[in-house]
Amino acid sequence: MLINTSWTLRELDAFLVLAETLNFRRTAARVHMSQPAVSSLITRLETAFGARLFERSTRAVHLTDAGQALLGPARLLRQQAQAAAAAVRDVVELRSGQVRMAALPSLAATVMPRVMAALAVQHPGLRLDLLDTLSGPAFDLVRAGEADFALTAANPAYADLSYTQLAADRFVLLLPAGHALAQAPDAPLAWAQTVALPHISMPAPTSVRQYADAALLQLGRRFEPRYEVEHLATINAMVAAGLGVAALPELAALVARGPQVVQRPLTGPELLRPIGLVTREGRSLSAAAQAVVDLLPGELARLLAPAAPLP
């Protein structure tokens, strides 16, 4: 015999309460329904299983053998349904869930730790995974579904992904504290004044290097750094040691600043590196990921304020 399994949790609830009370009136009160409605639910459930689940008389109600066979599995199904509802509720109410975020190294070392710390206090059940990577790989991680979103510079090569600009940081020049040009740290410095200096820069594929190349190109010059390294800490150490200067966006400079390094704003041209949110086109963020994203604009604005304190 083929059993119809299209019964509902409401019918299952009525069955379980009736199996406990063995009384239609008390069952109706417990499930907030009328007695005829409860009777109709039980009848539909019996029809679905093709067997009587209760023996009814004017005096008493008893479970049949078929009803006894259903009782254990029905309790387990109800527990599983409640657990599933609780799991969904936990995710929606941010008591649990996981967010995987990609960010440029300069943003992973400045913006993201403060945002993650705030979320850890507000929603300690969330798991936040941070992937610090360059711009291209950050876009690729979002495209592959391995990151919920990325915080990175714009890249027109990834037109299939959604990009929303949140902020922009200007470029500054890092100099050794004893350098002749380090004596007026608040005064802007023209890119043309830096051409002859030994530059320490990131490699060509990085967004930082692309902007430096563009700045010198506007002056009809080619950017030819003396040293190329991949990590901001290395750039900072080399500048501090007097090996050269480094043109970096403000947030990257926050990572590199120290007592042996001075920074000056760069102008002529004044470059702004856009910083934005990368997501998959047409896909909504989870509640947990959206909670992270909601904190990003405020933290970016704080860090990029004129007198932003050291992290």
Side-chain angles (χ1 to χ4, degrees), residues 101 103-121 128 130 132 151 255 292 295-296 299 302-303 311:
M101 309 161 288
L104 291 176
S106 59
L107 305 177
T110 54
V111 181
M112 296 311 302
R114 291 180 178 272
V115 169
M116 293 168 71
L119 262 294
V121 172
L128 305 175
L130 178 61
D132 56 340
L151 188 64
V255 181
V292 179
L295 295 178
L296 291 174
E299 186 57 31
R302 191 195 69 78
L303 286 170

PDB file of all heavy atoms in Angstrom, residues 101 103-121 128 130 132 151 255 292 295-296 299 302-303 311:
ATOM      1  N   MET A 101      35.082  36.922   4.641  1.00  0.00           N
ATOM      2  CA  MET A 101      35.322  38.237   4.065  1.00  0.00           C
ATOM      3  C   MET A 101      36.720  38.288   3.465  1.00  0.00           C
ATOM      4  O   MET A 101      37.673  37.815   4.083  1.00  0.00           O
ATOM      5  CB  MET A 101      35.206  39.306   5.150  1.00  0.00           C
ATOM      6  CG  MET A 101      33.922  39.203   5.966  1.00  0.00           C
ATOM      7  SD  MET A 101      34.047  40.083   7.556  1.00  0.00           S
ATOM      8  CE  MET A 101      35.167  38.986   8.450  1.00  0.00           C
ATOM      9  N   ALA A 103      39.676  40.994   1.955  1.00  0.00           N
ATOM     10  CA  ALA A 103      40.018  42.414   2.025  1.00  0.00           C
ATOM     11  C   ALA A 103      41.476  42.614   1.627  1.00  0.00           C
ATOM     12  O   ALA A 103      42.319  41.740   1.841  1.00  0.00           O
ATOM     13  CB  ALA A 103      39.788  42.949   3.441  1.00  0.00           C
ATOM     14  N   LEU A 104      41.745  43.771   1.026  1.00  0.00           N
ATOM     15  CA  LEU A 104      43.127  44.141   0.760  1.00  0.00           C
ATOM     16  C   LEU A 104      43.924  44.127   2.058  1.00  0.00           C
ATOM     17  O   LEU A 104      43.372  44.419   3.128  1.00  0.00           O
ATOM     18  CB  LEU A 104      43.192  45.542   0.154  1.00  0.00           C
ATOM     19  CG  LEU A 104      42.660  45.734  -1.265  1.00  0.00           C
ATOM     20  CD1 LEU A 104      42.736  47.207  -1.640  1.00  0.00           C
ATOM     21  CD2 LEU A 104      43.442  44.893  -2.262  1.00  0.00           C
ATOM     22  N   PRO A 105      45.226  43.815   2.009  1.00  0.00           N
ATOM     23  CA  PRO A 105      46.012  43.774   3.251  1.00  0.00           C
ATOM     24  C   PRO A 105      45.919  45.056   4.071  1.00  0.00           C
ATOM     25  O   PRO A 105      45.829  45.009   5.303  1.00  0.00           O
ATOM     26  CB  PRO A 105      47.438  43.528   2.741  1.00  0.00           C
ATOM     27  CG  PRO A 105      47.236  42.761   1.464  1.00  0.00           C
ATOM     28  CD  PRO A 105      45.995  43.340   0.846  1.00  0.00           C
ATOM     29  N   SER A 106      45.919  46.222   3.396  1.00  0.00           N
ATOM     30  CA  SER A 106      45.837  47.486   4.147  1.00  0.00           C
ATOM     31  C   SER A 106      44.499  47.631   4.847  1.00  0.00           C
ATOM     32  O   SER A 106      44.411  48.221   5.933  1.00  0.00           O
ATOM     33  CB  SER A 106      46.060  48.668   3.202  1.00  0.00           C
ATOM     34  OG  SER A 106      45.096  48.679   2.161  1.00  0.00           O
ATOM     35  N   LEU A 107      43.440  47.096   4.257  1.00  0.00           N
ATOM     36  CA  LEU A 107      42.115  47.169   4.876  1.00  0.00           C
ATOM     37  C   LEU A 107      41.936  46.070   5.919  1.00  0.00           C
ATOM     38  O   LEU A 107      41.270  46.264   6.943  1.00  0.00           O
ATOM     39  CB  LEU A 107      41.037  47.056   3.800  1.00  0.00           C
ATOM     40  CG  LEU A 107      41.147  48.075   2.660  1.00  0.00           C
ATOM     41  CD1 LEU A 107      40.076  47.832   1.616  1.00  0.00           C
ATOM     42  CD2 LEU A 107      41.051  49.486   3.198  1.00  0.00           C
ATOM     43  N   ALA A 108      42.560  44.918   5.654  1.00  0.00           N
ATOM     44  CA  ALA A 108      42.499  43.821   6.626  1.00  0.00           C
ATOM     45  C   ALA A 108      43.228  44.186   7.908  1.00  0.00           C
ATOM     46  O   ALA A 108      42.918  43.643   8.978  1.00  0.00           O
ATOM     47  CB  ALA A 108      43.100  42.556   6.015  1.00  0.00           C
ATOM     48  N   ALA A 109      44.194  45.096   7.820  1.00  0.00           N
ATOM     49  CA  ALA A 109      44.976  45.471   9.000  1.00  0.00           C
ATOM     50  C   ALA A 109      44.469  46.734   9.684  1.00  0.00           C
ATOM     51  O   ALA A 109      44.955  47.084  10.752  1.00  0.00           O
ATOM     52  CB  ALA A 109      46.438  45.684   8.595  1.00  0.00           C
ATOM     53  N   THR A 110      43.471  47.405   9.102  1.00  0.00           N
ATOM     54  CA  THR A 110      42.987  48.661   9.687  1.00  0.00           C
ATOM     55  C   THR A 110      41.490  48.642   9.924  1.00  0.00           C
ATOM     56  O   THR A 110      41.023  48.712  11.065  1.00  0.00           O
ATOM     57  CB  THR A 110      43.352  49.847   8.767  1.00  0.00           C
ATOM     58  OG1 THR A 110      42.856  49.594   7.438  1.00  0.00           O
ATOM     59  CG2 THR A 110      44.858  50.057   8.716  1.00  0.00           C
ATOM     60  N   VAL A 111      40.714  48.543   8.867  1.00  0.00           N
ATOM     61  CA  VAL A 111      39.254  48.615   8.974  1.00  0.00           C
ATOM     62  C   VAL A 111      38.669  47.351   9.594  1.00  0.00           C
ATOM     63  O   VAL A 111      37.876  47.410  10.543  1.00  0.00           O
ATOM     64  CB  VAL A 111      38.627  48.842   7.580  1.00  0.00           C
ATOM     65  CG1 VAL A 111      37.112  48.954   7.693  1.00  0.00           C
ATOM     66  CG2 VAL A 111      39.207  50.073   6.926  1.00  0.00           C
ATOM     67  N   MET A 112      39.052  46.200   9.062  1.00  0.00           N
ATOM     68  CA  MET A 112      38.371  44.962   9.418  1.00  0.00           C
ATOM     69  C   MET A 112      38.530  44.552  10.885  1.00  0.00           C
ATOM     70  O   MET A 112      37.560  44.088  11.493  1.00  0.00           O
ATOM     71  CB  MET A 112      38.823  43.830   8.488  1.00  0.00           C
ATOM     72  CG  MET A 112      38.452  44.043   7.026  1.00  0.00           C
ATOM     73  SD  MET A 112      36.716  44.506   6.752  1.00  0.00           S
ATOM     74  CE  MET A 112      35.865  43.115   7.504  1.00  0.00           C
ATOM     75  N   PRO A 113      39.699  44.684  11.504  1.00  0.00           N
ATOM     76  CA  PRO A 113      39.794  44.259  12.903  1.00  0.00           C
ATOM     77  C   PRO A 113      38.831  45.011  13.818  1.00  0.00           C
ATOM     78  O   PRO A 113      38.228  44.409  14.727  1.00  0.00           O
ATOM     79  CB  PRO A 113      41.258  44.569  13.257  1.00  0.00           C
ATOM     80  CG  PRO A 113      41.984  44.472  11.966  1.00  0.00           C
ATOM     81  CD  PRO A 113      41.036  45.042  10.961  1.00  0.00           C
ATOM     82  N   ARG A 114      38.635  46.309  13.595  1.00  0.00           N
ATOM     83  CA  ARG A 114      37.727  47.078  14.436  1.00  0.00           C
ATOM     84  C   ARG A 114      36.276  46.675  14.194  1.00  0.00           C
ATOM     85  O   ARG A 114      35.476  46.600  15.122  1.00  0.00           O
ATOM     86  CB  ARG A 114      37.928  48.572  14.183  1.00  0.00           C
ATOM     87  CG  ARG A 114      39.270  49.086  14.689  1.00  0.00           C
ATOM     88  CD  ARG A 114      39.418  50.573  14.419  1.00  0.00           C
ATOM     89  NE  ARG A 114      40.677  51.062  14.934  1.00  0.00           N
ATOM     90  CZ  ARG A 114      40.868  51.502  16.179  1.00  0.00           C
ATOM     91  NH1 ARG A 114      39.862  51.493  17.027  1.00  0.00           N
ATOM     92  NH2 ARG A 114      42.050  51.931  16.574  1.00  0.00           N
ATOM     93  N   VAL A 115      35.929  46.439  12.950  1.00  0.00           N
ATOM     94  CA  VAL A 115      34.576  45.985  12.629  1.00  0.00           C
ATOM     95  C   VAL A 115      34.323  44.609  13.246  1.00  0.00           C
ATOM     96  O   VAL A 115      33.266  44.351  13.840  1.00  0.00           O
ATOM     97  CB  VAL A 115      34.375  45.951  11.102  1.00  0.00           C
ATOM     98  CG1 VAL A 115      33.085  45.221  10.737  1.00  0.00           C
ATOM     99  CG2 VAL A 115      34.359  47.371  10.539  1.00  0.00           C
ATOM    100  N   MET A 116      35.295  43.713  13.109  1.00  0.00           N
ATOM    101  CA  MET A 116      35.139  42.370  13.671  1.00  0.00           C
ATOM    102  C   MET A 116      35.036  42.404  15.196  1.00  0.00           C
ATOM    103  O   MET A 116      34.262  41.653  15.798  1.00  0.00           O
ATOM    104  CB  MET A 116      36.304  41.491  13.225  1.00  0.00           C
ATOM    105  CG  MET A 116      36.307  41.209  11.721  1.00  0.00           C
ATOM    106  SD  MET A 116      37.845  40.472  11.127  1.00  0.00           S
ATOM    107  CE  MET A 116      37.702  38.821  11.849  1.00  0.00           C
ATOM    108  N   ALA A 117      35.796  43.294  15.826  1.00  0.00           N
ATOM    109  CA  ALA A 117      35.743  43.406  17.284  1.00  0.00           C
ATOM    110  C   ALA A 117      34.367  43.880  17.743  1.00  0.00           C
ATOM    111  O   ALA A 117      33.825  43.391  18.736  1.00  0.00           O
ATOM    112  CB  ALA A 117      36.831  44.355  17.775  1.00  0.00           C
ATOM    113  N   ALA A 118      33.797  44.836  17.001  1.00  0.00           N
ATOM    114  CA  ALA A 118      32.457  45.325  17.347  1.00  0.00           C
ATOM    115  C   ALA A 118      31.423  44.226  17.203  1.00  0.00           C
ATOM    116  O   ALA A 118      30.539  44.060  18.056  1.00  0.00           O
ATOM    117  CB  ALA A 118      32.101  46.521  16.464  1.00  0.00           C
ATOM    118  N   LEU A 119      31.517  43.449  16.119  1.00  0.00           N
ATOM    119  CA  LEU A 119      30.568  42.342  15.909  1.00  0.00           C
ATOM    120  C   LEU A 119      30.739  41.262  16.964  1.00  0.00           C
ATOM    121  O   LEU A 119      29.766  40.634  17.391  1.00  0.00           O
ATOM    122  CB  LEU A 119      30.748  41.749  14.510  1.00  0.00           C
ATOM    123  CG  LEU A 119      29.790  42.225  13.416  1.00  0.00           C
ATOM    124  CD1 LEU A 119      28.368  41.782  13.714  1.00  0.00           C
ATOM    125  CD2 LEU A 119      29.854  43.717  13.239  1.00  0.00           C
ATOM    126  N   ALA A 120      31.967  41.011  17.388  1.00  0.00           N
ATOM    127  CA  ALA A 120      32.213  39.977  18.399  1.00  0.00           C
ATOM    128  C   ALA A 120      31.541  40.331  19.721  1.00  0.00           C
ATOM    129  O   ALA A 120      31.102  39.442  20.458  1.00  0.00           O
ATOM    130  CB  ALA A 120      33.716  39.795  18.611  1.00  0.00           C
ATOM    131  N   VAL A 121      31.453  41.615  20.016  1.00  0.00           N
ATOM    132  CA  VAL A 121      30.764  42.056  21.236  1.00  0.00           C
ATOM    133  C   VAL A 121      29.255  41.972  21.056  1.00  0.00           C
ATOM    134  O   VAL A 121      28.529  41.474  21.932  1.00  0.00           O
ATOM    135  CB  VAL A 121      31.185  43.490  21.600  1.00  0.00           C
ATOM    136  CG1 VAL A 121      30.340  44.033  22.747  1.00  0.00           C
ATOM    137  CG2 VAL A 121      32.660  43.530  21.973  1.00  0.00           C
ATOM    138  N   LEU A 128      33.562  34.836  12.185  1.00  0.00           N
ATOM    139  CA  LEU A 128      34.026  35.772  11.175  1.00  0.00           C
ATOM    140  C   LEU A 128      35.389  35.330  10.662  1.00  0.00           C
ATOM    141  O   LEU A 128      36.352  35.279  11.419  1.00  0.00           O
ATOM    142  CB  LEU A 128      34.115  37.186  11.771  1.00  0.00           C
ATOM    143  CG  LEU A 128      32.829  37.727  12.414  1.00  0.00           C
ATOM    144  CD1 LEU A 128      33.093  39.067  13.074  1.00  0.00           C
ATOM    145  CD2 LEU A 128      31.706  37.834  11.385  1.00  0.00           C
ATOM    146  N   LEU A 130      38.435  36.105   8.015  1.00  0.00           N
ATOM    147  CA  LEU A 130      39.010  37.177   7.208  1.00  0.00           C
ATOM    148  C   LEU A 130      40.125  36.639   6.323  1.00  0.00           C
ATOM    149  O   LEU A 130      41.052  35.979   6.797  1.00  0.00           O
ATOM    150  CB  LEU A 130      39.554  38.278   8.118  1.00  0.00           C
ATOM    151  CG  LEU A 130      40.242  39.460   7.427  1.00  0.00           C
ATOM    152  CD1 LEU A 130      39.268  40.174   6.492  1.00  0.00           C
ATOM    153  CD2 LEU A 130      40.797  40.425   8.471  1.00  0.00           C
ATOM    154  N   ASP A 132      42.963  38.018   3.946  1.00  0.00           N
ATOM    155  CA  ASP A 132      43.666  39.207   3.451  1.00  0.00           C
ATOM    156  C   ASP A 132      44.407  38.840   2.176  1.00  0.00           C
ATOM    157  O   ASP A 132      45.243  37.944   2.146  1.00  0.00           O
ATOM    158  CB  ASP A 132      44.592  39.786   4.516  1.00  0.00           C
ATOM    159  CG  ASP A 132      45.601  38.778   5.047  1.00  0.00           C
ATOM    160  OD1 ASP A 132      45.364  37.571   4.897  1.00  0.00           O
ATOM    161  OD2 ASP A 132      46.615  39.201   5.606  1.00  0.00           O
ATOM    162  N   LEU A 151      36.250  43.661   0.405  1.00  0.00           N
ATOM    163  CA  LEU A 151      36.486  45.095   0.570  1.00  0.00           C
ATOM    164  C   LEU A 151      37.800  45.391  -0.136  1.00  0.00           C
ATOM    165  O   LEU A 151      38.870  44.966   0.306  1.00  0.00           O
ATOM    166  CB  LEU A 151      36.569  45.447   2.054  1.00  0.00           C
ATOM    167  CG  LEU A 151      36.614  46.941   2.395  1.00  0.00           C
ATOM    168  CD1 LEU A 151      35.321  47.624   1.965  1.00  0.00           C
ATOM    169  CD2 LEU A 151      36.859  47.149   3.875  1.00  0.00           C
ATOM    170  N   VAL A 255      49.200  51.400   8.398  1.00  0.00           N
ATOM    171  CA  VAL A 255      49.888  50.177   8.802  1.00  0.00           C
ATOM    172  C   VAL A 255      51.379  50.437   8.935  1.00  0.00           C
ATOM    173  O   VAL A 255      52.062  49.867   9.797  1.00  0.00           O
ATOM    174  CB  VAL A 255      49.637  49.054   7.770  1.00  0.00           C
ATOM    175  CG1 VAL A 255      50.328  47.769   8.192  1.00  0.00           C
ATOM    176  CG2 VAL A 255      48.141  48.820   7.592  1.00  0.00           C
ATOM    177  N   VAL A 292      27.979  42.916   9.156  1.00  0.00           N
ATOM    178  CA  VAL A 292      29.364  43.357   9.001  1.00  0.00           C
ATOM    179  C   VAL A 292      29.428  44.562   8.064  1.00  0.00           C
ATOM    180  O   VAL A 292      30.056  45.580   8.360  1.00  0.00           O
ATOM    181  CB  VAL A 292      30.257  42.223   8.465  1.00  0.00           C
ATOM    182  CG1 VAL A 292      31.688  42.716   8.286  1.00  0.00           C
ATOM    183  CG2 VAL A 292      30.224  41.021   9.397  1.00  0.00           C
ATOM    184  N   LEU A 295      28.624  48.136   9.233  1.00  0.00           N
ATOM    185  CA  LEU A 295      29.597  48.844  10.063  1.00  0.00           C
ATOM    186  C   LEU A 295      30.752  49.440   9.259  1.00  0.00           C
ATOM    187  O   LEU A 295      31.502  50.273   9.775  1.00  0.00           O
ATOM    188  CB  LEU A 295      30.166  47.893  11.122  1.00  0.00           C
ATOM    189  CG  LEU A 295      29.179  47.379  12.179  1.00  0.00           C
ATOM    190  CD1 LEU A 295      29.891  46.417  13.124  1.00  0.00           C
ATOM    191  CD2 LEU A 295      28.559  48.523  12.959  1.00  0.00           C
ATOM    192  N   LEU A 296      30.912  49.006   8.010  1.00  0.00           N
ATOM    193  CA  LEU A 296      32.082  49.416   7.230  1.00  0.00           C
ATOM    194  C   LEU A 296      32.144  50.918   6.929  1.00  0.00           C
ATOM    195  O   LEU A 296      33.202  51.538   7.119  1.00  0.00           O
ATOM    196  CB  LEU A 296      32.151  48.616   5.928  1.00  0.00           C
ATOM    197  CG  LEU A 296      32.467  47.130   6.073  1.00  0.00           C
ATOM    198  CD1 LEU A 296      32.369  46.428   4.719  1.00  0.00           C
ATOM    199  CD2 LEU A 296      33.855  46.920   6.672  1.00  0.00           C
ATOM    200  N   GLU A 299      33.354  52.992   9.964  1.00  0.00           N
ATOM    201  CA  GLU A 299      34.750  52.753  10.344  1.00  0.00           C
ATOM    202  C   GLU A 299      35.708  53.338   9.305  1.00  0.00           C
ATOM    203  O   GLU A 299      36.761  53.894   9.655  1.00  0.00           O
ATOM    204  CB  GLU A 299      34.991  51.254  10.505  1.00  0.00           C
ATOM    205  CG  GLU A 299      36.374  50.900  11.031  1.00  0.00           C
ATOM    206  CD  GLU A 299      36.672  51.554  12.372  1.00  0.00           C
ATOM    207  OE1 GLU A 299      35.733  51.773  13.164  1.00  0.00           O
ATOM    208  OE2 GLU A 299      37.849  51.867  12.620  1.00  0.00           O
ATOM    209  N   ARG A 302      35.879  57.054   9.918  1.00  0.00           N
ATOM    210  CA  ARG A 302      36.663  57.370  11.108  1.00  0.00           C
ATOM    211  C   ARG A 302      38.152  57.307  10.819  1.00  0.00           C
ATOM    212  O   ARG A 302      38.925  58.179  11.206  1.00  0.00           O
ATOM    213  CB  ARG A 302      36.304  56.404  12.237  1.00  0.00           C
ATOM    214  CG  ARG A 302      36.869  56.809  13.591  1.00  0.00           C
ATOM    215  CD  ARG A 302      36.812  55.657  14.578  1.00  0.00           C
ATOM    216  NE  ARG A 302      37.747  54.602  14.198  1.00  0.00           N
ATOM    217  CZ  ARG A 302      39.041  54.646  14.414  1.00  0.00           C
ATOM    218  NH1 ARG A 302      39.599  55.692  14.985  1.00  0.00           N
ATOM    219  NH2 ARG A 302      39.832  53.650  14.050  1.00  0.00           N
ATOM    220  N   LEU A 303      38.566  56.263  10.103  1.00  0.00           N
ATOM    221  CA  LEU A 303      39.991  56.091   9.812  1.00  0.00           C
ATOM    222  C   LEU A 303      40.513  57.129   8.820  1.00  0.00           C
ATOM    223  O   LEU A 303      41.682  57.496   8.862  1.00  0.00           O
ATOM    224  CB  LEU A 303      40.245  54.682   9.265  1.00  0.00           C
ATOM    225  CG  LEU A 303      40.187  53.553  10.288  1.00  0.00           C
ATOM    226  CD1 LEU A 303      40.204  52.204   9.585  1.00  0.00           C
ATOM    227  CD2 LEU A 303      41.335  53.652  11.271  1.00  0.00           C
ATOM    228  N   PRO A 311      45.813  53.304  14.993  1.00  0.00           N
ATOM    229  CA  PRO A 311      44.999  52.184  15.485  1.00  0.00           C
ATOM    230  C   PRO A 311      45.607  51.626  16.764  1.00  0.00           C
ATOM    231  O   PRO A 311      46.811  51.672  16.948  1.00  0.00           O
ATOM    232  CB  PRO A 311      45.083  51.167  14.333  1.00  0.00           C
ATOM    233  CG  PRO A 311      45.524  51.924  13.141  1.00  0.00           C
ATOM    234  CD  PRO A 311      46.340  53.070  13.633  1.00  0.00           C
TER     235      PRO A 311
END
